[in-house]
Each structure stands twice: as C-alpha cells, then as structure tokens.
Amino acid sequence: MRGVTPQMMTEARPIQQSRTFLTDLVFPPDTNHHHTIFGGKVMAYVDKIACIAAMRHCRKPVVTASSDSFDFLAPIKTGEAINLEAYVTWTHKTSMEVFVRVEAENLLTGEKRMTARAYLTMIALDDQGKPTLVPNVIPATEEERNQYEKAKERHALRKRRKAEL
C-alpha cells in the first residue's frame, strides 16, 4: 500500500486504551411525556462516546460511518443517571468498530440495569479529511476477545448490507 510505513503495519494498541465512560443525570427537559429519556438523546450520547473512544484509539479525527445493532432494551427515567461505556472492539484499514453499552442507575438505591447497546463504525481522517490507516487492537479480557472474534462477522454483514443499498 502506498504511504504505509512499517510502524503503521505493526502498531497495535490495547483495547483498554480506548475504553471511555460517561455519566450524566437525566432531567425533565431530557425526557418525553412518559418521563423517560428521549431515544434521540441516548443516540446522541452513544455517538459522542463512540467518537471519543475511536479518537483515543487512533489519535486522529474521526467521523461516524454507520450505527448498527442499536438496541433499546429498557427506559431511563427522570432522576436516574445514564452511564455509558465504549471501546474499540476491532479495526479494519481505516475503520474502527466501537461497542457502546448504556445503563440506567438509580442513584438512591444503586440499582443498575442495561438499557441499550450499539455498534458504530468510525472512520479515521487525515489532515486533508481523507480516510487514513488506524492501528490494530489488542484484546486482553475474555469480553474483549469475544467482541474481537465476532467483529469480523459483523463487518461482513455491514459490507453486505451496504452493497444491497
């Protein structure tokens, strides 16, 4: 490949380096008439934290290429905390798959429950705004290895879906 240095070909970073956390309190303006957070608000949080995790991994600007497997599992109510965790699970040439887990936390009882999960694909950009190579990831924990192993299949599904469009 043109412009590829030996360092780019061998450079790899631990998944842990991209792991990012975000916590916020859900207030009434964030919620709908059911007193639960707007889905679009959750999606904005997910996109933002995925961007941060991807930039921590590649140390370059990124853009969102796709958001897939976005599953809402339970609502988050007014007065609860929204907790998000994101990390890069896998990389391709210029893209990174980022997994985001969303939890609700009752701050009075300490009870936590998973409320959403999503996979996003982020693309790294160079100084001219063109896609650029990203380092590989090194999974360390069982969860990270599981995500990494299944990522190739998710990547193939995304490519097939894009080709069908």
Side-chain angles (χ1 to χ4, degrees):
M1 275 189 279
R2 205 172 63 185
V4 178
T5 67
Q7 179 187 14
M8 290 175 171
M9 296 300 285
T10 59
E11 184 181 17
R13 297 181 181 155
I15 286 176
Q16 181 64 28
Q17 181 177 311
S18 69
R19 199 170 293 267
T20 304
F21 298 91
L22 175 72
T23 299
D24 203 357
L25 191 57
V26 178
F27 288 114
D30 304 322
T31 63
N32 58 32
H33 60 286
H34 299 291
H35 307 288
T36 60
I37 194 166
F38 286 113
K41 182 106 175 148
V42 175
M43 293 172 86
Y45 277 123
V46 167
D47 191 45
K48 184 182 291 189
I49 197 169
C51 178
I52 294 168
M55 289 178 73
R56 281 185 170 165
H57 176 74
C58 69
R59 298 297 175 193
K60 297 175 182 168
V62 300
V63 293
T64 307
S66 73
S67 173
D68 51 85
S69 302
F70 203 117
D71 300 310
F72 288 97
L73 307 170
I76 304 174
K77 301 171 189 163
T78 304
E80 291 185 314
I82 180 171
N83 298 322
L84 297 96
E85 176 187 9
Y87 56 91
V88 175
T89 59
W90 187 74
T91 61
H92 198 247
K93 293 173 188 168
T94 63
S95 65
M96 296 158 279
E97 179 189 79
V98 180
F99 174 68
V100 181
R101 176 188 349 253
V102 183
E103 286 184 336
E105 179 181 359
N106 181 317
L107 295 168
L108 302 179
T109 67
E111 176 196 357
K112 294 180 182 179
R113 64 190 183 287
M114 186 185 292
T115 61
R117 63 178 171 239
Y119 290 95
L120 292 88
T121 301
M122 312 301 282
I123 305 293
L125 303 176
D126 65 15
D127 294 340
Q128 285 74 48
K130 303 287 185 200
T132 187
L133 295 174
V134 297
N136 291 326
V137 295
I138 304 168
T141 68
E142 185 176 334
E143 177 188 0
E144 291 172 354
R145 284 188 291 275
N146 187 34
Q147 290 275 14
Y148 182 83
E149 290 301 318
K150 293 179 180 176
K152 291 176 188 172
E153 184 179 324
R154 289 188 298 269
H155 177 72
L157 286 170
R158 281 190 288 273
K159 283 185 82 166
R160 280 197 303 273
R161 187 182 76 226
K162 188 176 180 182
E164 291 171 1
L165 297 175

